[in-house]
Amino acid sequence: MSKFVISATLLLGMALCASNPAQAVDAKQVFEFYCAQCHGLKGDGKGINVGPDFATDPRNFTIAKDMEKRTDADIEGVIKDGGHSISKSPLMPPWGATLSAEEVHGLVGYIRKLCQCKAK
Amino acid sequence: MRLSSITTFLVAVVLAATAGNSLAAGGNALFKKNCASCHYTDGPAKEKTIADQLAKKGPELWYAGSKFQKPWLLAWLQNPIPIRPMKYNSLTEKNTGDHPKLSAGDAAAVTDFLMALTSTEVKAGMLNAKASVMGRKIFIKDMPCSGCHAYAIRGEIHGGKSGPSLIGASKRLNPDWIYAYMANIKVFKPVRDMPDFSGALATNELQDVAAYVATF
């Protein structure tokens, strides 16, 4: 009986988590909505905004040897505080007041998928 | 004689007000029939998720009267030259400029209807267009505004494509709205691909950027 109650409680909890949109961050959707305008839908740094006015190209997330040099905390920091915060291009905006912590965390994971790499 | 003149004047005023109201009422009906499938006008903002924003076919217009300048809106509805380089909500499809055109009469009625839709977040008469040095520095160098928004310097076009073009903003946008939008963006557009700069810039800096954009 107690096993049944525990199992039922766990199942109910899982169902509630799955049905709560606030907890289900679709990192691909978040990336494509916010980041792809400059970093490109493939994350290759070739977004539609990139042109002659860009002093440097947006980061190409598919190059593993570049992305391995950055820790997850580095990536999270620049998403939140922008390029200015690390003396990089100010064209990378500070997204900290726009994105939730879950969305930023999800983006770090999605960027790691794009580079298929981890920090070294 | 004098009483007669006053009476005539009062009748004229009442008729003019009635005509204005009926024009706006006609505009409401025209809008519902022709425009409401792409634009909503009953604020406050409804979008809660990215999916909500992506489901929209055109910008929300519930604060159109605070955002736009009336002469520009009247002319644009009759000759809708694209403002966004890209189709609304798209990073892959260009704006083909297929916004419906209205006749002069319909445009006048819809303009009256839209200009009556205002937001209390926008304090009127606070800002004027000004070629602010600080505003220019923030817009072009310190912040990423130019990365997404097109603008022109001495006829040469610069800037990105994902946001609405700011070329012609001096005729299109109300400077007070530009400031209010940046200062309290979540009220106007809770889910959008433009960052919230209210914490990154001080009030006077946001005002300088708004005044500078209003010169475009």
Side-chain angles (χ1 to χ4, degrees):
Chain A
M1 179 64 182
S2 62
K3 274 186 184 174
F4 171 76
V5 171
I6 292 166
S7 301
T9 307
L10 282 172
L11 281 172
L12 181 64
M14 287 165 71
L16 283 172
C17 285
S19 65
N20 185 349
Q23 294 186 16
V25 169
D26 180 342
K28 181 172 184 287
Q29 184 190 52
V30 173
F31 183 89
E32 290 180 349
F33 188 70
Y34 296 102
C35 316
Q37 46 188 328
C38 292
H39 291 278
L41 288 164
K42 295 176 184 171
D44 56 6
K46 295 177 180 168
I48 58 160
N49 284 331
V50 184
D53 292 337
F54 275 62
T56 56
D57 285 345
R59 177 71 58 196
N60 181 342
F61 298 131
T62 66
I63 300 177
K65 68 178 171 58
D66 285 349
M67 296 307 296
E68 284 169 353
K69 295 175 190 166
R70 274 124 192 118
T71 66
D72 288 1
D74 290 340
I75 298 171
E76 193 168 318
V78 79
I79 293 172
K80 285 183 187 168
D81 301 325
H84 229 344
S85 68
I86 54 164
S87 302
K88 297 282 186 184
S89 172
L91 290 176
M92 169 65 196
W95 290 104
T98 304
L99 303 176
S100 68
E102 291 78 15
E103 286 173 322
V104 174
H105 186 71
L107 281 175
V108 174
Y110 188 73
I111 288 167
R112 287 295 181 208
K113 275 187 192 171
L114 289 171
C115 73
Q116 298 184 322
C117 71
K118 291 179 182 174
K120 278 189 177 173
Chain B
M1 180 64 182
R2 193 172 171 190
L3 188 64
S4 162
S5 299
I6 293 169
T7 308
T8 307
F9 173 74
L10 286 174
V11 168
V13 166
V14 170
L15 283 173
T18 309
N21 286 340
S22 70
L23 198 62
N28 189 357
L30 278 168
F31 189 92
K32 278 184 181 160
K33 186 181 169 194
N34 300 304
C35 321
S37 61
C38 295
H39 305 278
Y40 75 87
T41 52
D42 52 334
K46 302 179 192 306
E47 313 89 273
K48 290 187 170 57
T49 65
I50 294 172
D52 293 341
Q53 171 59 27
L54 293 177
K56 289 159 60 186
K57 293 178 186 170
E60 66 287 344
L61 293 173
W62 59 269
Y63 47 87
S66 296
K67 177 177 180 178
F68 298 121
Q69 295 184 33
K70 188 173 180 179
W72 174 87
L73 184 58
L74 177 62
W76 190 86
L77 288 171
Q78 297 169 75
N79 183 23
I81 297 164
I83 296 164
R84 294 170 175 272
M86 308 303 291
K87 188 177 171 185
Y88 193 69
N89 273 329
S90 177
L91 295 180
T92 55
E93 292 178 68
K94 288 188 177 169
N95 186 345
T96 56
D98 57 353
H99 190 281
K101 279 185 184 181
L102 299 186
S103 68
D106 287 357
V110 171
T111 297
D112 276 0
F113 166 64
L114 289 175
M115 290 308 295
L117 306 175
T118 56
S119 166
T120 54
E121 290 294 324
V122 181
K123 308 294 178 226
M126 301 286 284
L127 283 179
N128 290 310
K130 182 184 162 194
S132 158
V133 174
M134 178 59 76
R136 177 190 164 97
K137 182 172 175 289
I138 293 169
F139 185 89
I140 294 176
K141 287 185 74 177
D142 295 348
M143 284 287 155
C145 320
S146 63
C148 300
H149 295 284
Y151 63 104
I153 293 181
R154 291 182 288 277
E156 194 173 298
I157 296 173
H158 296 270
K161 294 178 181 166
S162 65
S165 169
L166 294 174
I167 296 169
S170 60
K171 293 188 171 67
R172 183 171 101 237
L173 301 174
N174 169 12
D176 294 315
W177 174 82
I178 302 172
Y179 165 70
Y181 187 73
M182 290 190 294
N184 207 353
I185 198 166
K186 286 171 183 159
V187 168
F188 297 97
K189 213 169 171 75
V191 185
R192 79 276 129 189
D193 52 4
M194 174 170 153
D196 181 345
F197 290 105
S198 60
L201 294 168
T203 298
N204 64 314
E205 292 174 320
L206 291 170
Q207 288 173 338
D208 282 346
V209 175
Y212 177 62
V213 168
T215 66
F216 288 165

